Amino acid sequence: MNHQNKRPRIVGPKGAELSKYRDQQFKGSRHDQENLLLQSTTLYVGNLSFYTTEEQVHEVFAQAGDIKRIIMGLDRVKRTPCGFCFVEYFDRSDSETAVRFLNGAKLDDRQIRTDWDWGFEDGRQYGRGKSGGQIRDDYRQDFDDGRGGYGYLIQKSLLEPANSHQMQLPPSTDYVQKTPLLPIPLTKPDTPME
């Protein structure tokens, strides 16, 4: 393997380095994406509770500096919160402060993750999972009350057996039992039956 052709990993300021994650839906080269990440003032915030509000996010992230805007992540189908958001600052130094000090912080009793984002574009506020939410919530196997219970695939598999016993028959009198009901004699508890 020729190490001379390998590009060095691009890193940001100490404590606010770029993670290894790269958005696979970015339209451009990896190098272009990394350059945007190094200049970005936008953060991706993950592992939020579905019940965390924009006001709560603002209260926590405003401690790092002046926020330009917050875009809450939504389920693509239901248009309900699905556990992530984008926080955009006015200045790069404020976003660096947020990455340094808020990554791993607790918000709504959950340890949140912050990561650099190359910049918000309309449409990215929606979950990318098959269910409409986040991909990780499609495959999650544990119960997480703050993220809607079990993951989508587990919920779906739990519902299938419950519905499998219900056989839908076409409306027809052929399926109706034609045996008349026999009367049941009523007796008092202290009266012996004949």
Side-chain angles (χ1 to χ4, degrees), residues 44-45 48-54 70-86 120 122-129 131-135 137 147:
Y44 170 88
V45 181
L48 295 174
S49 166
F50 289 0
Y51 307 105
T52 300
T53 65
E54 183 175 338
I70 296 173
I71 300 100
M72 297 299 288
L74 300 174
D75 183 295
R76 189 178 64 253
V77 177
K78 301 175 194 168
R79 300 296 198 253
T80 56
C82 68
F84 73 97
C85 72
F86 297 94
F120 176 78
D122 193 42
R124 294 190 63 218
Q125 72 269 34
Y126 299 116
R128 297 177 181 175
S131 65
Q134 289 190 278
I135 293 170
D137 287 318
R147 293 183 72 88

Side-chain angles (χ1 to χ4, degrees), residues 46-152:
N47 201 37
L48 295 174
S49 166
F50 289 0
Y51 307 105
T52 300
T53 65
E54 183 175 338
E55 291 78 20
Q56 288 173 292
V57 173
H58 190 276
E59 184 178 332
V60 170
F61 282 82
Q63 295 176 51
D66 293 329
I67 295 173
K68 185 175 183 179
R69 65 181 175 162
I70 296 173
I71 300 100
M72 297 299 288
L74 300 174
D75 183 295
R76 189 178 64 253
V77 177
K78 301 175 194 168
R79 300 296 198 253
T80 56
C82 68
F84 73 97
C85 72
F86 297 94
V87 177
E88 185 177 355
Y89 287 92
F90 286 100
D91 296 316
R92 173 74 182 192
S93 61
D94 292 341
S95 55
E96 289 172 359
T97 301
V99 169
R100 277 191 201 106
F101 296 106
L102 297 176
N103 188 37
K106 291 268 187 165
L107 176 57
D108 244 0
D109 293 325
R110 301 187 65 82
Q111 188 173 7
I112 59 172
R113 293 186 325 268
T114 60
D115 203 354
W116 292 104
D117 189 79
W118 52 270
F120 176 78
E121 288 180 353
D122 193 42
R124 294 190 63 218
Q125 72 269 34
Y126 299 116
R128 297 177 181 175
K130 292 176 184 176
S131 65
Q134 289 190 278
I135 293 170
R136 67 182 284 236
D137 287 318
D138 281 350
Y139 299 100
R140 186 170 34 77
Q141 305 229 351
D142 59 327
F143 184 86
D144 189 338
D145 194 40
R147 293 183 72 88
Y150 289 106
Y152 171 74

Side-chain angles (χ1 to χ4, degrees), residues 18-44:
L18 300 184
S19 71
K20 292 180 182 180
Y21 174 78
R22 297 295 176 267
D23 185 350
Q24 299 302 310
Q25 293 188 3
F26 178 77
K27 293 176 179 30
S29 71
R30 183 176 175 96
H31 183 72
D32 292 343
Q33 187 176 164
E34 288 174 347
N35 284 336
L36 287 173
L37 290 171
L38 287 170
Q39 300 169 32
S40 179
T41 59
T42 304
L43 303 179
Y44 170 88

